[in-house]
């Protein structure tokens, strides 16, 4: 029997423990991290890779065992390759993917509106290439097959006839093919001349980009043609190149000595800044990112996410995530913090490096907050640690041990004190570092240039820049959570609905209808909400927004992955992160409850339970604070022995619970708990409940088996 909490009491709970997301320790809901949006960097633990391919916003890697790994934007399933160990080649397009199997057949997945991810049947294919919205395949007889957008006329999916082709490359809206005699054929869109290759018979490789093309010559030099707005076509001089690859508006080339050269538009994304080294064996340029395969089978990525802000880290012990402008933080169950993205240790980038993703060591943190270029961590003693950019003092928190919550904005910071007041520091433009006075605040949220605070009476206060009305919250006393984004704001109401205000150019301030939301997160130009069933809803911009390439590049930050096992969300500037619940095993315990007959009118202090675990488990690993009777009553005292544990429950609490039975009799009770590794144990025992002196009803005292509420298991 689960007691329901009055929605108004949520405010009290927030004030005391700042909601469930700040819980750290044995009872914390730990999980793994999932990310989406601006993400193209592989996890550092990828190894044994034999081939790579960079797409629009996702990447693929072929492993030595013939299996495929995908990462990055997965808005339409393009980064979720099929299972199997019989693949020999991969190709990532703008929003779809292809793989060639050992038997000569092709598999496709991802965006398929034009049929580009639905390859033709057959087992005689020897090469594949995925383009913008079309695909190409080279057959063993030297002919080419195309499918997807542009099958007719000048379309890029309508290749020329012939049986003398040896290589194909699908670009944005054009295609290239290399002939056996060393000449090149181009077709498809030719607005920028990208489909008109130079004459000659000394070419050995071709690469079609979004609107430009490259070719490698037999003498090791590179030729590029058309679309010269920022000279992405003008390759470097030299005769020592062995491979080329073209992306959206940038290109990369591999030299004979194993080093990489990059050129094109890279002044703000960094595409032209490949890593140094001479141990590379393959390169691939994507939409705005690039990959390189090293001789040891590992992968290096650079571009929009070379700073790695949206790269999910391995592990199942994360309890809180926080997405900043270009970096991320995660709090682990042991109280330590990890950081990744801009400012992480060892990041070779032109991105501002303030060490914002390099948190201090220690296991005494209970909350984290990632801001623009700085970070905060709340410690268990109530003090705050700050690191990263401190030009405005935003990473230099005030001293004290009475802080209970933190919030990092663009260039300012906030902290909630135990007495309900707010402290602010850092950039004070628009009064950002001067929060309102008062001692009745229970939650805070810092945006780019504005801030919000939730009061104990359920109302919201806003301050800072009020452009678009972002700092002017709606009236009312029924709010339970707040989130300040780039130029918009969100609030969760007691009835589970969401209200948004501020900039709504991309629909980010127009939340979906519904009354089943439990958390909200406002990002740069997009928004997220966590539902009671564990699923995530996103709305707002799915594209790059900012000084360059606004509205052009699909990132998918507002398109969360499917699933009902999410427990926390955080929205960054152009990406999103979430924590998934860990599937924890359930083991059956043997429990013996005493007394076996319980008189509801009897007096006494304890109800005792003896707990035994299966042979392969140790009772010493039981977390004492996790033991519950009927998923409701906590054990007051726990003793852990060598072979069994003893838990004592308040007799008064148990009698009050059982007093709700309509008829006394035999009742099955459930005792549950957790081990230190997260394993759940559960056991049942039957006792007889009597009410001495109570008048018998028509059942004649027959046994009654009450319906119980058992702990939800993830065993299946």
């Amino acid at each position: 029997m689960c007691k329901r909490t009055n929605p108004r009491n949520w405010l009290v709970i927030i004030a005391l423990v700042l909601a469930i997301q700040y819980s750290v320790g044995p009872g914390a809901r730990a999980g793994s991290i999932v990310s989406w949006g601006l993400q193209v960097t592989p996890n550092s633990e990828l190894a044994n890779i034999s081939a790579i391919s960079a797409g629009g916003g996702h990447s693929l890697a072929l492993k030595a065992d013939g299996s495929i790994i995908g990462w990055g934007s997965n808005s339409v399933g393009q980064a979720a390759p099929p299972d199997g160990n019989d693949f020999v080649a991969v190709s990532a397009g703008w929003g779809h993917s292809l793989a060639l199997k050992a038997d000569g057949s092709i598999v496709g997945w991802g965006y398929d509106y034009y049929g580009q991810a639905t390859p033709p049947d057959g087992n005689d294919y020897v090469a594949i290439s995925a383009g913008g919205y079309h695909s190409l395949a080279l057959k063993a007889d030297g002919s080419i097959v195309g499918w997807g957008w542009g099958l007719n006329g000048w379309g890029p999916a309508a290749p020329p006839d012939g049986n003398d082709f040896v290589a194909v490359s699908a670009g944005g809206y054009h295609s290239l093919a290399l002939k056996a005699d060393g000449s090149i054929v181009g077709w498809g869109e030719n607005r920028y001349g990208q489909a008109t290759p130079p004459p000659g018979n000394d070419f050995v490789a071709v690469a079609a980009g979004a609107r430009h093309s490259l070719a490698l010559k037999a003498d090791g030099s590179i030729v590029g043609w058309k679309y010269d707005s920022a000279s992405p076509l003008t390759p470097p001089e030299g005769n020592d190149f062995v491979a080329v690859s073209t992306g959206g508006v940038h290109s990369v080339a591999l030299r004979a000595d194993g080093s990489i050269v990059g050129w094109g538009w890279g002044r703000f994304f960094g595409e032209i800044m490949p890593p140094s080294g001479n141990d590379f064996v393959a390169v691939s340029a994507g939409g705005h990112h690039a990959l390189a395969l090293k001789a040891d089978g590992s992968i290096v990525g650079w571009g929009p996410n070379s700073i790695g802000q949206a790269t999910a880290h391995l592990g199942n012990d994360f309890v809180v995530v926080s997405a900043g402008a270009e970096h991320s933080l995660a709090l682990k169950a042991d109280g330590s913090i990890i950081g990744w993205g801009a400012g992480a240790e060892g990041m070779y980038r032109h991105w501002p490096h303030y060490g914002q993703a390099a948190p201090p060591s220690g296991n005494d943190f209970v909350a984290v907050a990632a801001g623009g270029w700085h970070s905060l961590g709340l410690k268990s003693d109530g003090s705050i640690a700050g690191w990263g950019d401190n030009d405005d003092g935003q990473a230099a928190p005030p001293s004290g041990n009475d802080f209970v919550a933190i919030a990092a904005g663009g260039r300012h910071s906030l902290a909630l004190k135990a007495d309900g007041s707010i402290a602010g520091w850092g950039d004070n433009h628009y009064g950002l570092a001067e929060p309102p006075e008062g001692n009745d605040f229970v939650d805070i949220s810092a945006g780019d240039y504005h801030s919000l605070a939730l009061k104990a009476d359920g109302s919201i206060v806003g301050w800072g820049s009020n452009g678009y009305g972002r700092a002017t919250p709606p009236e009312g006393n029924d709010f339970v959570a707040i989130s300040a984004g780039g130029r918009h704001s969100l609030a969760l109401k007691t009835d589970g609905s969401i209200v948004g205000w501020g900039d709504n150019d991309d629909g980010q301030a127009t939340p979906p209808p519904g009354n089943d939301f439990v958390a909200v997160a406002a990002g740069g130009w997009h928004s997220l909400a966590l539902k009671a069933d564990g699923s995530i809803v996103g709305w707002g911009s799915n594209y790059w927004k900012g000084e360059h390439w606004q509205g052009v590049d699909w990132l998918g930050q507002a398109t969360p992955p499917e699933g009902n096992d999410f427990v926390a969300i955080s929205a960054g500037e152009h990406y999103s992160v979430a924590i998934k619940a860990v599937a924890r095993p359930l083991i059956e315990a043997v429990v013996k409850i005493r007394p076996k007959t319980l008189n509801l009118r009897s007096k006494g202090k304890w109800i005792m339970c003896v707990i035994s675990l299966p042979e392969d488990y140790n009772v010493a690993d039981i977390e004492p604070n996790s033991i519950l009777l009927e998923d409701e009553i906590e054990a007051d005292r726990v003793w852990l022995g060598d072979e069994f544990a003893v838990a004592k429950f308040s007799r008064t609490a148990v009698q009050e619970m059982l007093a709700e039975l309509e008829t006394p009799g035999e009742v099955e009770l459930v005792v549950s708990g957790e081990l230190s590794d997260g394993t759940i144990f559960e056991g049942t025992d039957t006792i007889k409940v009597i009410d001495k002196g109570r008048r018998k009803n028509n059942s004649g005292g027959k046994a009654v088996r009450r319906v119980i509420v058992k702990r939800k298991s993830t065993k299946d």
Side-chain angles (χ1 to χ4, degrees), residues 165-340:
F165 297 102
V166 294
V168 291
S169 181
Y173 294 96
H174 74 292
S175 299
L176 301 176
L178 179 66
K179 303 189 79 171
D181 65 0
S183 62
I184 304 172
V185 177
W187 66 98
E189 183 189 45
N190 198 33
R191 184 184 313 173
Y192 303 96
Q194 66 266 45
T196 303
N201 292 83
D202 57 345
F203 298 103
V204 295
V206 290
R211 292 181 292 186
H212 71 293
S213 301
L214 295 177
L216 180 65
K217 304 188 77 171
D219 64 0
S221 63
I222 304 173
V223 176
W225 61 98
K226 283 312 170 181
Y227 192 62
D228 57 4
S229 177
S231 298
L233 63 92
T234 306
E237 297 181 357
N239 293 83
D240 58 344
F241 296 102
V242 294
V244 291
S245 182
T246 55
V249 284
H250 68 294
S251 302
V252 291
L254 179 66
R255 290 182 178 267
D257 65 359
S259 63
I260 304 172
V261 178
W263 66 98
W265 271 357
R267 60 183 181 273
F268 50 91
F269 277 154
E271 299 95 337
I272 61 173
M273 298 178 64
S276 59
N278 293 82
D279 56 346
F280 297 102
V281 295
V283 290
S284 181
H288 288 291
H289 72 289
L291 302 176
L293 179 64
K294 303 187 78 171
D296 63 2
S298 61
I299 303 173
V300 176
W302 66 100
N305 193 45
S306 63
I307 49 176
Q309 70 271 27
T311 300
H313 282 245
L314 298 180
N316 294 306
D317 56 347
F318 300 103
V319 294
V320 178
V321 288
S322 183
E326 304 293 350
H327 73 291
S328 300
L329 300 174
L331 179 66
K332 304 186 78 172
D334 65 1
S336 62
I337 305 172
I338 66 166
W340 63 99

Side-chain angles (χ1 to χ4, degrees), residues 213-564:
S213 301
L214 295 177
L216 180 65
K217 304 188 77 171
D219 64 0
S221 63
I222 304 173
V223 176
W225 61 98
K226 283 312 170 181
Y227 192 62
D228 57 4
S229 177
S231 298
L233 63 92
T234 306
E237 297 181 357
N239 293 83
D240 58 344
F241 296 102
V242 294
V244 291
S245 182
T246 55
V249 284
H250 68 294
S251 302
V252 291
L254 179 66
R255 290 182 178 267
D257 65 359
S259 63
I260 304 172
V261 178
W263 66 98
W265 271 357
R267 60 183 181 273
F268 50 91
F269 277 154
E271 299 95 337
I272 61 173
M273 298 178 64
S276 59
N278 293 82
D279 56 346
F280 297 102
V281 295
V283 290
S284 181
H288 288 291
H289 72 289
L291 302 176
L293 179 64
K294 303 187 78 171
D296 63 2
S298 61
I299 303 173
V300 176
W302 66 100
N305 193 45
S306 63
I307 49 176
Q309 70 271 27
T311 300
H313 282 245
L314 298 180
N316 294 306
D317 56 347
F318 300 103
V319 294
V320 178
V321 288
S322 183
E326 304 293 350
H327 73 291
S328 300
L329 300 174
L331 179 66
K332 304 186 78 172
D334 65 1
S336 62
I337 305 172
I338 66 166
W340 63 99
E345 291 295 339
M347 276 295 167
Y348 51 88
R349 278 211 41 87
H350 69 287
W351 240 269
H353 192 304
Y354 299 102
Q356 62 267 37
S361 59
N363 293 80
D364 55 346
F365 293 99
V366 295
V368 291
W373 301 101
H374 72 291
S375 301
L376 301 175
L378 179 64
K379 307 187 82 169
S380 57
D381 65 359
S383 62
I384 303 173
W387 61 98
D389 180 19
N390 197 40
D391 285 351
D392 294 285
Q394 65 267 45
S399 59
N401 293 82
D402 57 345
F403 298 104
V404 294
I406 50 176
R411 301 178 69 87
H412 72 290
S413 301
L414 301 175
L416 180 65
K417 304 187 79 171
D419 65 1
S421 62
I422 304 173
W425 64 98
D427 179 21
N428 198 36
H429 284 88
Y430 310 105
L432 288 169
E434 297 179 357
E437 297 180 355
N439 293 82
D440 56 346
F441 297 103
V442 295
D443 198 9
I444 51 176
S445 182
D448 201 5
Y449 288 101
H450 75 293
S451 297
L452 302 175
L454 180 66
K455 304 188 79 171
D457 64 1
S459 62
I460 304 172
V461 177
W463 68 98
S465 172
N466 198 34
Y468 303 94
R470 72 190 96 173
T472 303
E475 297 180 356
N477 293 82
D478 56 347
F479 298 103
V480 294
I482 51 176
S483 182
R487 298 185 296 189
H488 72 291
S489 302
L490 300 175
L492 180 66
K493 305 187 77 171
T494 55
D495 64 1
S497 63
I498 304 172
V499 177
W501 65 96
D503 180 20
N504 198 37
D505 286 350
D506 295 282
Q508 66 267 44
T510 303
N515 294 83
D516 56 345
F517 298 103
V518 295
V520 290
W525 289 269
H526 72 291
S527 300
L528 302 175
L530 181 65
K531 304 188 78 171
D533 65 0
S535 62
I536 303 173
V537 177
W539 64 98
S541 175
N542 269 305
Y543 295 84
W544 173 266
K545 303 280 289 186
E547 181 182 356
H548 302 284
W549 294 96
Q550 181 165 323
V552 174
D553 301 293
W554 169 274
L555 302 175
Q557 65 267 38
T559 304
E562 298 180 355
N564 293 82

